[in-house]
């Protein structure tokens, strides 16, 4: 995969795969190059392009260079030649001999020689910069203003789903229908409702012992309402979707209505035998009656597919007024089956945007009628944000609608801007370097290894700080580099002189720039970390 994607709406797979379809691709789902992977791949493509003539006009000749080392040679009668030297030892570096020359091969790597002489690329030697990308959070900014021009605090509007059947029922059946085969992927929600009579002589009405509701489901979650009041909720987990709910409930003498909302947000929504896996209720019983448990699994149930807000399209411009919203500056928290609406400005700048839903429970979100997708808690993930294309935004007056099925805190919802805030690079003085313009007409090269480090900030930003620079034997990774026993103390000043206050710069690993006489016999490296602003 070259470009990461986003599965918007209800198109994401499962179980519990959110909208991100990034898979660490060279270009991420936000459209930004993932460095160094993208640049390293670009260098690979460039190296292969240099081998084009030999690859297309000759047959490969495979030669062994050692127990786990080999070379594929493409040689033309005209003299053009390209070679790919491979070290298949995944633990040890190796030095091999090829055409009377020595080549150092890192473990599990391939070197590309477009002239069968000079290495222009090695898969294990990454010379391009690593971008430091952060999700910079922004509070939701209200679009509304008061008469005197002062910005108001963010105003929310809410709509709470009614428990049970609303409008006309979709079907009535004796016993249970399968959730997935009934909704046919038009909604993640299916209401099951029925009613039953409680005699005045039931002991639990007098002794205070509550009857127990027992619900079994193939997944993934259920809310249980009795007489319009939420009595209990239960769900499966990430690996096992089926579950059993057991909870005391309050019943009254006479007629009682039970409404169960089956929910499948997060379940697998495709794949082999998907239609046979099923979801939804399989058994409902109530224990505590004088004559033993009451089995409701075999009575008539009335079904309604989806939620009222879904059917009314209250997340779209033409459906917003189809229900009565309640305005508030303090929206309810941890309240299930609640729709939230706010009118917000677009985040500043031109960076890609995500939305952070980590303080919400589970549900769906829309912006200006476009469905961002299904969300749920992902606290252990490094990708807590859900991609919202900037093209969906207007400068102001953006309608954000969220349906929360479980309960969360909408005041903690944040937009995030995906910003490249800096970069790192580490390159050794033996890094392969090759310039196509230095090729002679016969395909040979006057080879000179002038290693360079090319550094670049995002557009409209410059290098504001060089946090670290060391030529010698630095160690560590981006964000935690440390100097080694071998270190040129002028490293930072050299890099600052070339790069500070510039959008891009090139640092050459030459004797004029650095003390290459340090630590004789040691292959030295230059490590750099800088901030862009």
């Amino acid at each position: 995969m070259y470009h990461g994607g986003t599965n918007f709406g209800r198109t994401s797979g499962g179980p519990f795969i959110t909208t991100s379809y990034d898979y660490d691709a060279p270009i991420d789902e936000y459209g930004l190059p993932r460095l160094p992977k993208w640049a390293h791949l670009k260098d690979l493509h460039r190296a292969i392009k240099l081998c084009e003539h030999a690859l297309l006009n000759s047959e490969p000749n495979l030669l062994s260079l050692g127990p786990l080392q080999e070379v594929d040679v493409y040689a033309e009668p005209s003299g053009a030649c390209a070679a790919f030297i491979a070290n298949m030892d995944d633990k040890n570096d190796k030095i091999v001999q090829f055409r009377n020359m020595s080549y150092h091969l890192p473990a599990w790597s391939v070197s590309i020689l477009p002239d069968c002489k000079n290495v222009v690329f090695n898969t294990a030697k990454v010379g391009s910069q690593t971008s430091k990308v952060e999700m910079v959070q922004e509070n939701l900014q209200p679009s509304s203003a008061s008469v005197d021009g002062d910005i108001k605090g963010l105003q929310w509007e809410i709509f709470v789903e009614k428990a049970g059947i609303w409008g006309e029922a979709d079907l009535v059946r004796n016993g249970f229908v399968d959730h997935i085969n009934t909704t046919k992927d038009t909604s993640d929600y299916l209401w099951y409702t029925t009613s039953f009579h409680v005699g005045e002589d039931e002991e639990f009405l007098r002794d205070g012992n509550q009857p127990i509701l027992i619900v079994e489901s193939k997944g993934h979650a259920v809310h249980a309402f009795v007489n319009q009041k939420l009595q209990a909720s239960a769900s499966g987990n990430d690996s096992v979707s089926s579950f059993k709910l057991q909870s005391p409930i309050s019943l009254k003498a006479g007629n009682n209505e039970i409404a169960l909302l089956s929910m499948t947000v997060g379940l697998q929504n495709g794949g082999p035998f998907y239609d046979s896996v099923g979801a939804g209720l399989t058994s409902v019983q109530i224990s505590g009656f004088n004559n033993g448990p009451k089995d409701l699994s075999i009575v008539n149930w009335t079904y309604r597919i989806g939620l009222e807000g879904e059917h009314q399209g209250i997340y779209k411009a033409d459906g917003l007024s189809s229900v009565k919203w309640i305005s508030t500056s303090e929206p309810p928290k941890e309240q299930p089956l609640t729709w939230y609406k706010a009118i917000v400005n677009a985040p500043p700048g031109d960076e890609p945007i995500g939305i952070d839903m980590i303080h919400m429970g589970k549900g769906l979100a829309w912006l200006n009628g476009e469905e961002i997708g299904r969300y749920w808690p992902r606290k252990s993930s490094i990708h807590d944000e859900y991609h919202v294309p900037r093209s969906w935004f207007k400068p102001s007056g953006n309608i954000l609608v969220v349906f929360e099925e479980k309960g969360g805190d909408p005041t903690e919802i944040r937009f995030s801007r995906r910003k490249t805030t800096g970069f790192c690079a580490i390159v050794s003085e033996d890094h392969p370097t090759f310039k196509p313009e230095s090729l002679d007409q016969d395909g040979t090269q006057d080879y000179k290894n002038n290693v360079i480090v090319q550094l670049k900030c995002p557009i409209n930003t410059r290098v504001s700080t060089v946090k670290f620079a060391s030529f010698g034997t630095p160690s560590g990774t981006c964000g935690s580099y440390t100097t080694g026993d071998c270190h040129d103390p002028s490293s930072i000043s050299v890099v600052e002189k070339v790069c500070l206050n510039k959008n891009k710069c090139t640092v050459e690993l030459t004797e004029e720039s650095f003390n290459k006489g340090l630590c004789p016999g040691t292959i030295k490296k230059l490590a750099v970390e800088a901030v862009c602003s």
Side-chain angles (χ1 to χ4, degrees), residues 71-377:
V71 58
D72 274 290
V73 182
Y74 295 78
E76 290 186 74
S78 64
C81 181
F84 297 78
I85 306 178
N87 178 17
M88 293 172 287
D89 189 328
D90 61 359
K91 295 182 176 60
N92 304 300
D93 293 7
K94 293 293 180 180
I95 294 177
V96 299
Q97 299 292 321
F98 173 63
R99 294 197 171 187
N100 300 317
M101 292 185 67
S102 295
Y103 296 92
H104 173 261
L105 293 169
W108 195 249
S109 71
V110 177
S111 287
I112 299 177
L113 295 68
D115 58 355
C116 283
K117 180 182 178 182
N118 296 299
V119 176
V120 301
F121 182 87
N122 179 272
T123 55
K125 293 182 177 181
V126 180
S128 59
Q129 72 181 45
T130 297
S131 292
K132 297 186 71 176
V133 180
E134 299 177 11
M135 298 301 288
V136 180
Q137 290 198 340
E138 304 278 343
N139 290 332
L140 301 184
Q141 296 298 324
S143 287
S144 57
S146 63
V147 176
D148 58 7
D150 293 333
I151 297 296
K152 296 179 180 179
L154 185 63
Q155 287 293 116
W156 290 90
E157 294 182 77
I158 65 167
F159 170 71
V160 181
E161 289 281 336
K162 294 184 279 293
I165 301 300
W166 50 270
E168 294 185 7
D170 287 310
L171 67 154
V172 178
R173 291 286 187 277
N174 184 265
F176 298 123
V177 298
D178 179 75
H179 180 133
I180 292 173
N181 287 314
T182 302
T183 60
K184 302 189 187 308
D185 202 36
T186 59
S187 173
D188 289 299
Y189 305 99
L190 179 63
W191 282 105
Y192 298 66
T193 65
T194 192
S195 61
F196 55 93
H197 184 78
V198 173
E200 295 181 355
D201 59 343
E202 293 293 341
E203 291 186 10
F204 62 76
L205 295 174
R206 296 188 297 274
D207 62 18
N209 290 324
Q210 291 181 299
I212 304 298
L213 174 66
I214 305 168
V215 178
E216 295 182 26
S217 171
K218 288 189 282 187
H220 178 263
V222 70
H223 287 315
F225 294 83
V226 178
N227 299 323
Q228 299 294 307
K229 293 184 178 180
L230 180 62
Q231 301 278 310
S233 302
S235 66
N237 54 43
D238 290 0
S239 55
V240 180
S241 61
S242 60
F243 64 91
K244 184 176 184 178
L245 178 154
Q246 288 185 278
S247 175
I249 57 174
S250 297
L251 297 177
K252 63 182 180 180
N255 194 56
N256 291 261
E257 182 187 76
I258 182 168
L260 303 173
L261 180 62
S262 176
M263 301 168 281
T264 57
V265 172
L267 286 191
Q268 182 175 338
N269 63 359
F273 308 109
Y274 167 69
D275 57 333
S276 64
V277 173
L281 309 185
T282 57
S283 173
V284 175
Q285 294 187 7
I286 302 176
S287 64
F289 286 89
N290 294 347
N291 294 328
K294 183 181 290 290
D295 188 358
L296 299 179
S297 306
I298 55 174
V299 303
N300 278 347
W301 287 83
T302 303
Y303 294 90
R304 189 67 161 111
I305 297 170
L307 305 167
E308 181 179 2
E310 284 183 304
H311 281 261
Q312 300 289 355
I314 65 174
Y315 48 86
K316 297 184 291 188
D318 58 357
L320 288 171
S321 59
S322 57
V323 298
K324 185 177 180 179
W325 295 88
I326 299 174
S327 296
T328 177
S329 59
E330 297 183 4
K333 302 174 183 179
E334 306 304 327
Q335 178 171 292
L337 301 187
T338 302
W339 293 82
Y340 298 94
K341 181 180 71 171
I343 312 300
V344 297
N345 286 334
D350 57 4
E351 301 92 350
I353 301 173
I355 186 169
D356 184 350
M357 306 292 288
I358 195 64
H359 293 282
M360 298 299 285
K362 195 177 175 191
L364 304 96
W366 294 260
L367 181 78
N368 294 329
E370 301 285 352
E371 191 170 357
I372 298 168
R374 297 181 283 196
Y375 67 85
W376 43 77

Side-chain angles (χ1 to χ4, degrees), residues 490-503:
S490 65
S491 300
I492 283 189
S493 61
V494 170
V495 176
E496 286 181 336
K497 182 178 179 181
V498 177
C499 298
L500 207 58
N501 298 317
K502 294 180 180 179
N503 173 258

Side-chain angles (χ1 to χ4, degrees), residues 383-504:
H383 300 292
D384 288 330
E385 288 82 8
Y386 296 77
H387 181 203
V388 186
R390 190 172 272 277
S391 60
W392 289 5
F393 284 86
K394 302 177 291 185
S396 63
N398 298 281
I399 303 172
L400 176 66
V401 177
V402 175
F403 173 69
E404 173 58 50
E405 71 171 49
K406 181 180 177 183
D409 184 355
T411 65
E412 293 293 332
I413 295 174
R414 300 285 187 270
F415 285 132
S416 300
R417 292 184 291 151
R418 192 166 179 82
K419 291 189 66 174
T420 299
T421 57
F423 56 74
C424 297
I426 184 164
V427 178
S428 65
E429 57 185 348
D430 68 344
H431 187 80
T433 303
F434 188 79
K435 298 180 179 179
E437 59 269 20
S438 64
L439 277 173
D440 295 332
Q441 291 183 349
D442 62 358
T444 61
Q445 183 199 20
D446 180 17
Y447 183 76
K448 184 180 180 182
N449 192 3
N450 288 329
V451 178
I452 60 174
V453 180
Q454 292 181 313
L455 306 170
K456 186 177 181 180
C457 287
I459 191 170
N460 298 325
T461 64
R462 299 174 183 273
V463 176
S464 57
T465 306
V466 178
K467 295 181 66 175
F468 181 91
S470 174
F471 178 76
T473 56
S475 59
T477 57
C478 185
S480 60
Y481 289 136
T482 58
T483 56
D485 295 333
C486 181
H487 168 67
D488 185 345
S490 65
S491 300
I492 283 189
S493 61
V494 170
V495 176
E496 286 181 336
K497 182 178 179 181
V498 177
C499 298
L500 207 58
N501 298 317
K502 294 180 180 179
N503 173 258
K504 58 182 178 180

